[in-house]
Amino acid sequence: MGNWVVNEGLSIFVIAALPLARAPAACLNFNCMLILLPVCRNLLSFLRGSSACCSTRIRRQLDRNLTFHKMVAWMIALHTAIHTIAHLFNVEWCVDARVNNSDSYSIALSKFEDKPGETYLNFAEKKIKNPEGGLLVAVTRLAGITGIVITLCLILIITSSTKTIRRSYFEVFWYTHHLFVIFFIGLAIHGAERIVRGQTAQSLIQHKPEICWKKIDEWGKIKECPIPQFSGNPPMTWKWIVGPMFLYLCERLVRFWRSQQKVVITKVVTHPFKTIELQMKKKGFKMEVGQYIFVKCPMVSRLEWHPFTLTSAPEEDFFSIHIRIVGDWTEGLFNACGCDKKEFQDAWKLPKIAVDGPFGTASEDVFSYEVVMLVGAGIGVTPFASILKSVWYKYCNNATNLRLRKIYFYWLCRDTHAFEWFADLLQLLETQMQERNNADFLSYNIYLTGWDESQASHFAVHHDEEKDVITGLKQKTLYGRPNWDNEFKTIASQHPNTRIGVFLCGPEALAETLSKQCISNSEAGPRGVHFIFNKENF
Amino acid sequence: MGPGGPHPELQPGSRGGKAPAAAPESIPPAWLGLSPGGGAGAVPELRTGRDGTGRGGTGRGRGGGAEGERPGGRGTRSAAAESEPSPSRAAAAAMGQIEWAMWANEQALASGLILITGGIVATAAQFAQWYFGVYSIAAGVFVCLLEYPRGKRRKGSTMERCGQKYMTKVVKLFGPLTRNYYVRAFLHLGLSVPAGFLLATILGTACLAIASGIYLLAAIRGEQWTPIEPKPKERPQVGTTIKQPPSNPPPRPPAEARKKLSEEESAAATSVPSGPQENPIPVTDEVV
């Protein structure tokens, strides 16, 4: 503890603790700057859509914005912990020095106060010993108060952001996350009192610590050791965070403005098995395939926004979403749209809707490949509805310009309930393809992964019928999980020397499987078949 | 949004030669009562049968957009802070039923860890009155052990924490003491107080006190801790699906017919190789 590093006043007697607090503080500046940027959804969408900026591969990294946000958050937590622990040591030792419970050098340095001819070094003002002294510093100084408050906010944010809470009780997550406002404000003023002090540059010239530390009693009396002067560093954090805070503020304003635009429900369709389809129109709404929107229905809840994948194609003059009724909000929407009533609903009775978006994800890249594999698991098939429709329109409009030549579509489902509205779409496409003698354009495989014995016997009996008993499609439903290795190898052999895009919307485990398959079935050289994996983030 | 009248999108070929939807199943569509001939903006080519065949809609002009003039339209919408969405895409999770105990559990677990960390710092560095640090470590360990097993949610399935079944057994032993959240709330409040005497552990105090408050809220709403029990694996009993073995021999033609058949068979066997099995007695397939 008696060791010292040259010029920092405090570090003269609190050795490693001050640099150990300063270092994570610097890291925190950087991380707190970064954390706001990945959640500026509109900004990211804009960057992703503007081809001017960078290549597609780089822009695709923007899809992983939430992962980045979480990583930075963990870094903030780690650095906060180190910073706090280091300052615990600082406070303890400073208070000790104030109450003369330390080495003489430290005590001498602590004697300075803010009066004419002097500036203080030790921020512990009152002569109260530890632990009360430390506690007093923490609750009376600005740095202490802001430190405790923002650390508490951080802890609350983290505990409400765990996967369990996020997936099950989203409101808790969302509202608690807004504590970040307090966090950033507290962070900006955390160092405003400038209590971490060091010797001024001017004083360092006159009073050299390496000479004068031995002559404590003669300070101010001999020429070579005048009274040392100290000052605090100006707070730097605000310079780091003010930019991203402004960007985020703009982001929220943009979201709000977009949500104020008028949205009209043009049609509501009820599908079997508790699914409804809303068709809407909004002025100036432009979408790409596979994008999603956030929807708010003030009649149901004034504050809740829920994301839904768009199931219509850009070529249509409306946009639509399919909503499964599973919770309070969707049930409220169901009732508000009058779906529980049998008679015709007047147009003006339909509720007002606010829409934010559309926001883009990986599906937009589907058309840049010649061959694609689309894999949707369960409800994850929804973005592909949009893609298939759009492919259909493009094919009908101008088949020669379409780069896409072949689609392999895999739909994995646990039970038959999920089939209904989408099966209709597939059936339609199947019929249309046949009429145009191009049945090979789309090859689809539906896998029923949750079959049981009674279903199996049913299927076995109807095996020979022309249309599939579950979906009514000509292509038979397959049971169990697909053998991906086989699938990839077959496709690779049928399309040598092509880049094949693989698009998945489904669970993590499947993403890992497919990712590995893509890598192992791609050839090493530039020529040869390459599978490129794209995963939807929801 | 088209007004009433002729709707170009319903005519074939209006969209560059696409054929209208081949009307699939004649299942009566369960769509919202939409009168035929309306239809703002529906594209029939991809309107499938089940969902209403693309006819109708709010074809009275402006559709649902006239809310501005309608009562309860604009006025109720406040410019409040927007809320972010629910996690799942085409379905909203059950938002209304929040189980506070789940969050209280996460918070208490975090508080336990913070208490342990603060306690280690205070003890190892031998700060003044460092024995409070020792207490903090002990309290932190206790809280972590108590809170590690996650309780079962009332609705839906619960993800277990890794290896929590051992602690579940111990926590279950205390019966109402651990089941009741009032007890937990006051216990945590009490545990947090002594740690408040040291600066190093005061953060743990604050966090645990907050957890205690959330547990109190959970208790007021009548939540309880129920252990997650492993479900007994249902092995498909091969034996049970097989009914009793047949007690009668298979039906056979009477003795004379059998004799005749065997003569024919031996004659046939020498001449023609056996093709598909010809059943001597017609067998009906009784599978459904």
Side-chain angles (χ1 to χ4, degrees):
Chain A
M1 201 156 87
N3 197 350
W4 34 265
V5 177
V6 176
N7 78 9
E8 297 291 350
L10 267 187
S11 64
I12 290 177
F13 63 97
V14 281
I15 180 177
L18 187 62
L20 206 56
R22 281 261 168 89
C27 293
L28 278 172
N29 288 340
F30 184 59
N31 282 306
C32 291
M33 174 186 80
L34 288 180
I35 195 146
L36 282 177
L37 298 175
V39 288
C40 293
R41 212 166 48 214
N42 284 293
L43 174 66
L44 291 183
S45 229
F46 170 72
L47 281 177
R48 204 180 184 288
S50 63
S51 346
C53 169
C54 321
S55 78
T56 319
R57 285 192 192 109
I58 297 182
R59 274 184 282 139
R60 273 180 48 202
Q61 300 312 312
L62 293 173
D63 294 336
R64 324 240 336 248
N65 55 335
L66 284 181
T67 314
F68 185 63
H69 180 84
K70 287 175 210 168
M71 275 172 42
V72 175
W74 283 120
M75 279 293 108
I76 291 183
L78 175 70
H79 289 303
T80 303
I82 304 175
H83 181 84
T84 309
I85 293 176
H87 271 316
L88 282 175
F89 282 95
N90 281 328
V91 169
E92 181 86 5
W93 290 338
C94 281
V95 171
D96 274 345
R98 173 65 65 194
V99 297
N100 299 341
N101 188 16
S102 182
D103 57 291
S104 49
Y105 190 44
S106 309
I107 296 173
L109 281 173
S110 307
K111 285 210 168 69
F112 296 114
E113 289 168 42
D114 249 0
K115 50 187 198 211
E118 249 178 41
T119 42
Y120 78 93
L121 173 63
N122 189 337
F123 54 76
E125 288 174 336
K126 304 232 173 16
K127 283 191 197 274
I128 302 179
K129 64 179 172 57
N130 278 319
E132 291 84 2
L135 282 168
L136 193 67
V137 167
V139 302
T140 50
R141 309 309 294 261
L142 179 67
I145 301 171
T146 49
I148 295 180
V149 166
I150 68 179
T151 311
L152 270 180
C153 290
L154 183 68
I155 293 171
L156 283 172
I157 290 178
I158 291 180
T159 57
S160 64
S161 311
T162 56
K163 205 167 191 174
T164 321
I165 307 283
R166 214 168 61 229
R167 296 217 172 264
S168 320
Y169 314 109
F170 197 82
E171 286 162 339
V172 171
F173 159 65
W174 180 239
Y175 293 133
T176 315
H177 233 71
H178 281 83
L179 284 173
F180 79 88
V181 176
I182 304 180
F183 179 85
F184 274 91
I185 295 175
L187 189 65
I189 60 174
H190 185 60
E193 222 183 352
R194 308 190 193 198
I195 60 177
V196 171
R197 304 166 72 85
Q199 207 170 349
T200 60
Q202 198 191 16
S203 172
L204 270 174
I205 302 174
Q206 300 164 344
H207 172 117
K208 293 193 176 27
E210 56 267 23
I211 306 174
C212 295
W213 76 277
K214 297 180 211 122
K215 308 181 183 159
I216 300 174
D217 299 324
E218 299 161 40
W219 284 359
K221 297 173 189 137
I222 56 178
K223 192 173 73 89
E224 56 193 13
C225 290
I227 306 279
Q229 303 294 325
F230 306 100
S231 69
N233 293 326
M236 301 284 290
T237 310
W238 68 271
K239 296 180 193 167
W240 291 85
I241 62 179
V242 72
M245 278 168 84
F246 175 71
L247 276 176
Y248 190 72
L249 181 65
C250 291
E251 159 76 24
R252 295 298 288 254
L253 288 173
V254 165
R255 286 188 205 173
F256 178 69
W257 177 80
R258 280 173 102 167
S259 73
Q260 297 290 82
Q261 309 303 301
K262 191 187 266 191
V263 174
V264 170
I265 301 182
T266 55
K267 188 162 35 158
V268 180
V269 184
T270 49
H271 293 272
F273 294 106
K274 297 166 70 159
T275 307
I276 63 171
E277 177 187 349
L278 286 183
Q279 292 182 11
M280 297 174 274
K281 286 198 179 187
K282 180 179 169 186
K283 191 169 163 192
F285 187 86
K286 279 202 200 74
M287 59 169 280
E288 302 283 326
V289 287
Q291 288 193 306
Y292 62 97
I293 54 171
F294 285 97
V295 173
K296 177 170 91 170
C297 184
M299 199 191 279
V300 177
S301 164
R302 276 201 223 155
L303 295 178
E304 284 180 45
W305 289 85
H306 296 265
F308 294 97
T309 313
L310 290 164
T311 48
S312 58
E315 287 81 4
E316 296 169 322
D317 59 358
F318 61 91
F319 60 96
S320 72
I321 52 177
H322 281 68
I323 306 173
R324 261 180 67 212
I325 315 296
V326 287
D328 293 344
W329 189 84
T330 41
E331 275 192 41
L333 188 66
F334 185 82
N335 296 331
C337 294
C339 301
D340 46 349
K341 307 190 179 64
K342 288 274 192 300
E343 65 275 359
F344 179 78
Q345 293 294 303
D346 281 326
W348 57 266
K349 279 195 196 149
L350 288 174
K352 184 171 183 157
I353 298 273
V355 160
D356 190 15
F359 299 104
T361 54
S363 313
E364 297 172 341
D365 302 330
V366 157
F367 295 107
S368 49
Y369 295 94
E370 274 188 29
V371 178
V372 289
M373 276 175 72
L374 307 178
V375 181
I379 200 68
V381 78
T382 330
F384 299 121
S386 168
I387 293 176
L388 288 177
K389 281 193 201 174
S390 182
V391 166
W392 174 246
Y393 283 120
K394 285 192 162 66
Y395 182 73
C396 292
N397 276 333
N398 198 344
T400 44
N401 261 357
L402 187 62
R403 194 167 170 191
L404 200 48
R405 296 255 165 260
K406 176 79 182 162
I407 301 180
Y408 293 94
F409 183 65
Y410 295 86
W411 188 12
L412 282 62
C413 257
R414 210 180 284 278
D415 55 39
T416 59
H417 289 182
F419 279 98
E420 308 299 335
W421 62 270
F422 194 76
D424 288 346
L425 174 65
L426 281 182
Q427 192 170 33
L428 189 57
L429 288 172
E430 183 180 47
T431 324
Q432 301 280 2
M433 299 287 178
Q434 278 189 327
E435 282 182 14
R436 287 168 182 268
N437 292 329
N438 194 2
D440 283 338
F441 181 63
L442 169 68
S443 112
Y444 52 87
N445 306 281
I446 304 176
Y447 287 84
L448 198 60
T449 54
W451 55 279
D452 61 21
E453 277 199 24
S454 61
Q455 283 183 326
S457 36
H458 188 215
F459 303 146
V461 172
H462 287 168
H463 179 72
D464 286 330
E465 294 190 16
E466 199 199 325
K467 288 205 182 213
D468 184 72
V469 54
I470 298 293
T471 57
L473 295 161
K474 288 222 162 59
Q475 173 84 26
K476 289 291 159 51
T477 310
L478 301 152
Y479 305 104
R481 296 206 184 119
N483 185 338
W484 291 113
D485 211 30
N486 272 353
E487 302 290 331
F488 273 81
K489 286 194 165 43
T490 318
I491 294 175
S493 62
Q494 282 173 352
H495 301 274
N497 297 331
T498 24
R499 283 178 77 235
I500 303 177
V502 177
F503 291 83
L504 165 72
C505 182
E508 289 290 334
L510 189 53
E512 275 173 51
T513 312
L514 288 183
S515 180
K516 284 189 194 135
Q517 287 288 342
C518 285
I519 295 173
S520 57
N521 285 299
S522 297
E523 282 170 38
R527 270 190 277 173
V529 67
H530 291 110
F531 289 94
I532 292 123
F533 181 63
N534 300 271
K535 183 183 176 297
E536 292 277 6
N537 262 340
F538 286 122
Chain B
M1 280 153 291
H7 295 274
E9 64 270 13
L10 296 185
Q11 296 159 12
S14 59
R15 276 248 179 178
K18 287 196 282 293
E25 266 71 59
S26 53
I27 297 172
W31 40 265
L32 190 65
L34 306 167
S35 60
V43 177
E45 292 83 353
L46 289 183
R47 296 293 93 222
T48 52
R50 300 262 188 97
D51 71 355
T53 58
R55 313 298 186 250
T58 56
R60 309 260 180 96
R62 300 293 298 171
E67 310 85 15
E69 301 101 54
R70 297 295 155 199
R74 286 278 162 122
T76 52
R77 260 257 303 270
S78 60
E82 307 157 43
S83 169
E84 271 295 77
S86 71
S88 58
R89 263 309 157 99
M95 283 307 151
Q97 304 289 326
I98 297 177
E99 287 181 47
W100 295 102
M102 303 300 294
W103 184 27
N105 173 264
E106 303 279 341
Q107 178 70 15
L109 195 59
S111 315
L113 293 172
I114 296 173
L115 277 172
I116 295 176
T117 313
I120 292 179
V121 168
T123 314
Q126 297 277 294
F127 288 165
Q129 296 182 9
W130 56 271
Y131 41 85
F132 280 112
V134 178
Y135 164 80
S136 181
I137 298 177
V141 169
F142 173 70
V143 167
C144 281
L145 287 175
L146 173 64
E147 298 289 343
Y148 190 70
R150 203 176 258 148
K152 199 158 146 186
R153 280 166 49 190
R154 275 191 292 209
K155 263 196 203 177
S157 63
T158 321
M159 272 295 293
E160 279 194 356
R161 289 206 178 97
C162 176
Q164 80 168 41
K165 54 183 186 219
Y166 308 106
M167 273 317 296
T168 307
K169 288 196 199 118
V170 178
V171 174
K172 218 171 60 163
L173 277 177
F174 289 91
L177 278 182
T178 44
R179 210 171 40 229
N180 190 320
Y181 282 144
Y182 280 109
V183 171
R184 274 204 208 194
F186 289 112
L187 174 69
H188 288 325
L189 195 59
L191 282 176
S192 66
V193 168
F197 287 104
L198 274 192
L199 182 60
T201 51
I202 197 169
L203 197 62
T205 300
C207 291
L208 196 55
I210 293 178
S212 154
I214 309 176
Y215 264 128
L216 191 62
L217 181 59
I220 291 174
R221 288 176 47 118
E223 293 174 25
Q224 270 203 343
W225 186 85
T226 34
I228 301 180
E229 310 272 283
K231 265 193 291 213
K233 267 201 188 154
E234 290 172 23
R235 287 185 174 277
Q237 297 289 333
V238 179
T240 55
T241 55
I242 299 176
K243 297 192 182 36
Q244 279 207 333
S247 48
N248 296 327
R252 286 185 197 171
E256 302 85 8
R258 251 185 285 149
K259 270 202 211 136
K260 263 200 209 155
L261 266 159
S262 59
E263 285 167 13
E264 281 176 6
E265 266 182 10
S266 53
T270 52
S271 55
V272 166
S274 57
Q277 164 77 18
E278 293 265 36
N279 286 321
I281 291 181
V283 173
T284 51
D285 179 12
E286 288 189 10
V287 179
V288 168

